[in-house]
């Protein structure tokens, strides 16, 4: 890998500051990535659901990995800032190939979730830890400090006691960090008290999903959150706005 690739990875890692969160409005193509940078954001994150849907596929690893990496490549080529890619659970690729294809795309960070895309069930914690450890080892072998964001999907599953789910999320997050993850992402965790407990318990960079029920950005910063991402939210809003514009066109109205 080139020195510039390694430097982008170092720059991305430095942006993860607890209490001063990196805000990532997830992009899905080169145009949206450029818009993110033009708006002043210092890094670009892709959203797997948004990328897949924009290319005609459903989320859940339905997109061929070649198409996903091609999309990430176009995004990384379009911007000068670090790019981190949402790669679901890795598309069944071995860690060395996953990291190689990530770096070939120009991205220097990745999300990996701990749900099985075929069943939606949360995978065994040690199985996921092995995947993350393999990715970290492959990145080290490549000489690039790839930023690994480990998603914890406990809160995606309905039911169960809130306290039990929080305990399990903390257990998984700690294990993933020990395996080599740099940041942990308890997706859908939005309760202020539980978020405070989670951040304090893991004592490492934490990613929170921005959504209407989540705490305000200032509150997340006060908790010590290091990263805030928007998932497919920007893409969904863009799609909704396009639908409204198309309805206006169909009705014969001029576009404002």
């Amino acid at each position: 890998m080139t020195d510039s690739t390694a430097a982008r990875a170092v720059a991305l890692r430095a942006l993860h500051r607890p209490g001063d969160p990196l805000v990532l409005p997830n992009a899905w193509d080169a145009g949206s990535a450029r818009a993110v940078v033009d708006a002043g954001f210092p890094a670009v994150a892709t959203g797997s659901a948004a990328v897949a849907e924009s290319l005609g596929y459903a989320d859940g690893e339905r997109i061929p990995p070649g198409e996903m990496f091609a999309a990430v490549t176009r995004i990384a080529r379009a911007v000068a800032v670090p790019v981190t890619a949402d790669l679901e659970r890795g598309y069944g690729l071995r860690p060395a190939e996953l990291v190689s294809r990530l770096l070939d795309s120009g991205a220097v960070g990745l999300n990996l979730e701990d749900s099985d895309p075929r069943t939606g069930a949360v995978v065994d914690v040690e199985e996921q830890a092995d995947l993350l450890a393999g990715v970290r080892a492959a990145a080290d072998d490549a000489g690039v400090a790839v930023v690994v964001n480990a998603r914890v999907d406990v809160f995606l599953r309905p039911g169960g006691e809130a306290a039990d789910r929080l305990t399990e999320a903390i257990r998984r997050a700690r294990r993933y960090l020990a395996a080599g993850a740099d940041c942990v992402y308890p997706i859908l965790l939005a309760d202020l008290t539980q978020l405070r407990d989670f951040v304090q318990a893991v004592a490492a960079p934490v990613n929170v999903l921005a959504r209407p029920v989540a705490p305000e950005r200032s509150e997340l910063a006060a908790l010590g959150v290091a990263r805030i991402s928007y998932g497919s939210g920007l893409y969904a809003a863009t799609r909704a706005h396009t639908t409204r514009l198309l309805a206006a066109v169909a009705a014969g109205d001029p576009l404002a």
Side-chain angles (χ1 to χ4, degrees), residues 166-188:
L166 179 61
T167 298
E168 175 63 7
I170 291 170
R171 181 179 80 93
R172 285 176 173 267
R174 285 172 168 168
R175 183 67 187 90
Y176 299 162
L177 290 163
D182 302 290
C183 183
V184 285
Y185 181 13
I187 191 168
L188 296 193

Side-chain angles (χ1 to χ4, degrees), residues 92-226:
L93 301 175
R94 292 184 179 277
E97 182 179 359
L98 184 64
V99 170
S100 176
R101 295 180 76 166
L102 175 82
L103 295 176
D104 285 347
S105 77
V108 292
L110 75 164
N111 275 24
L112 288 173
E113 61 197 46
D114 65 356
S115 290
D116 185 330
R118 297 164 300 178
T119 65
V122 177
V123 302
D124 177 76
V125 65
E126 290 304 320
E127 180 182 346
Q128 186 69 3
D130 286 346
L131 172 61
L132 295 168
V135 168
R136 172 54 61 211
D140 289 346
D141 287 345
V144 180
V146 169
V147 178
V148 179
N149 189 29
R151 207 178 84 176
V152 180
D153 289 357
V154 170
F155 299 97
L156 286 174
R157 310 291 167 256
E161 294 293 331
D164 292 340
R165 290 202 289 174
L166 179 61
T167 298
E168 175 63 7
I170 291 170
R171 181 179 80 93
R172 285 176 173 267
R174 285 172 168 168
R175 183 67 187 90
Y176 299 162
L177 290 163
D182 302 290
C183 183
V184 285
Y185 181 13
I187 191 168
L188 296 193
L189 178 57
D191 178 81
L192 189 65
T193 300
Q194 286 197 325
L195 269 171
R196 179 183 294 110
D197 291 345
F198 183 92
V199 171
Q200 291 177 351
V202 302
V206 173
N207 186 168
V208 172
L209 178 67
R211 57 197 187 105
V213 298
E216 297 289 333
R217 188 181 303 178
S218 59
E219 294 176 302
L220 293 174
L223 293 180
V225 167

Side-chain angles (χ1 to χ4, degrees), residues 1-85:
M1 291 297 115
T2 65
D3 290 343
S4 62
T5 300
R8 287 197 304 274
V10 170
L12 178 61
R13 183 181 301 275
L15 291 169
H16 289 69
R17 297 184 293 266
D20 181 19
L22 169 64
V23 178
L24 296 168
N26 301 66
W28 58 93
D29 61 11
S32 58
R34 286 195 183 109
V36 168
V37 174
D38 289 346
F41 294 95
V44 169
T46 72
S48 64
V51 171
E53 289 178 20
S54 72
L55 294 173
Y57 298 94
D59 194 24
E61 296 199 349
R62 305 293 180 87
I63 184 171
E67 291 205 40
M68 177 59 76
F69 283 108
V72 175
T73 299
R74 290 190 292 270
I75 288 169
R77 187 187 300 136
V79 298
V81 301
V83 172
T84 178

